[in-house]
Amino acid sequence: MRERSLQRWAFETPGIPDSLFVRDEEVPMTKEEVRAMVISKLRLREGQDVLDVGCGTGSVTVEMALVTGYAVGIDENEKAIELTKTNADNFKVNIKLIQGHAPDVMRDLDKFDRIFIGGGSDMLESILEESMMHLKEGGRIVLDAIQLETATRAISIMSTKMDVEVTQITISKGMRTKTGTAMLARNPVFIISGELK
């Protein structure tokens, strides 16, 4: 069995609390409840080759590597690469990081069993096309989006070569007040999953 980071996360379930990650307000992070759904939709197992495109703070990269044993993360932002490395070190997971602009840096990579694409990008079409070319047989892509336009573009592109499933989740988090707990809603998130036909 792989050595797990007992200091940071001693469980087999996804959804590591956000508070356990080193963060920076300038670098995006997939929040824990959304991340748990993303990890579920990726359908991971040990030994798979996995890629996180737009790794941000590395929260998804870390959770992928905890399951598979190894993950590759890409981000063009140097600060994001540094944060992902710090978080991977803290959780004692094996990752490779590539700083560069997707899809350009993807072209020299091998094929993957699973690819996660985080958030929106003005290069969404070319990132998705490159991702679909870098999937092994039976591979899956999972993308999350908060904008309807991003979700509809992703569905349209992925549907040309993949069986697509769309899930929308809305999370509310409790906040203590003087008299009780108020539920604060976060933005709805679309999770688009595709598997090669």
Side-chain angles (χ1 to χ4, degrees):
M1 185 173 153
R2 287 184 316 281
E3 178 184 343
R4 296 193 71 65
S5 176
L6 298 178
Q7 295 173 309
R8 303 292 287 182
W9 189 242
F11 308 100
E12 296 289 331
T13 55
I16 297 170
D18 292 342
S19 61
L20 295 183
F21 288 95
V22 177
R23 301 177 62 188
D24 184 298
E25 290 303 317
E26 296 176 16
V27 179
M29 181 171 104
T30 302
K31 302 299 188 289
E32 65 189 83
E33 295 84 4
V34 174
R35 193 176 341 111
M37 179 67 76
V38 163
I39 295 299
S40 172
K41 294 295 183 184
L42 282 167
R43 298 180 186 159
L44 300 174
R45 65 174 174 263
E46 190 170 1
Q48 287 176 324
D49 295 312
V50 295
L51 173 65
D52 182 358
V53 180
C55 58
T57 59
S59 62
V60 173
T61 316
V62 165
E63 294 227 33
M64 290 167 79
L66 281 170
V67 176
T68 64
Y70 175 74
V72 177
I74 295 173
D75 207 294
E76 62 184 335
N77 183 334
E78 183 178 356
K79 190 177 284 188
I81 294 292
E82 291 169 6
L83 278 172
T84 299
K85 182 178 182 336
T86 298
N87 283 314
D89 290 346
N90 287 345
F91 285 93
K92 297 177 175 42
V93 294
N94 187 13
I95 64 166
K96 175 183 177 180
L97 293 172
I98 301 167
Q99 183 178 352
H101 191 73
D104 300 336
V105 296
M106 298 171 67
R107 294 190 177 108
D108 295 327
L109 298 177
D110 292 330
K111 293 196 173 196
F112 294 88
D113 297 292
R114 304 292 187 258
I115 299 175
F116 171 66
I117 303 169
S121 169
D122 56 355
M123 300 292 292
L124 180 64
E125 287 84 355
S126 54
I127 290 171
L128 277 169
E129 290 292 342
E130 195 68 34
S131 295
M132 288 187 286
M133 288 190 296
H134 277 79
L135 273 186
K136 295 179 182 179
E137 185 177 343
R140 290 178 66 81
I141 292 174
V142 175
L143 175 140
D144 68 356
I146 59 170
Q147 293 184 351
L148 181 59
E149 291 82 1
T150 303
T152 55
R153 281 177 24 225
I155 293 164
S156 176
I157 297 162
M158 292 168 70
S159 294
T160 62
K161 297 177 183 170
M162 309 185 91
D163 293 320
V164 175
E165 174 190 48
V166 182
T167 304
Q168 182 197 32
I169 60 173
T170 305
I171 306 296
S172 295
K173 297 283 280 188
M175 181 186 78
R176 290 292 297 155
T177 68
K178 289 181 182 179
T179 59
T181 303
M183 298 306 292
L184 298 179
R186 292 185 172 170
N187 289 329
V189 178
F190 296 96
I191 299 175
I192 299 101
S193 311
E195 191 164 313
L196 287 177
K197 294 179 181 179

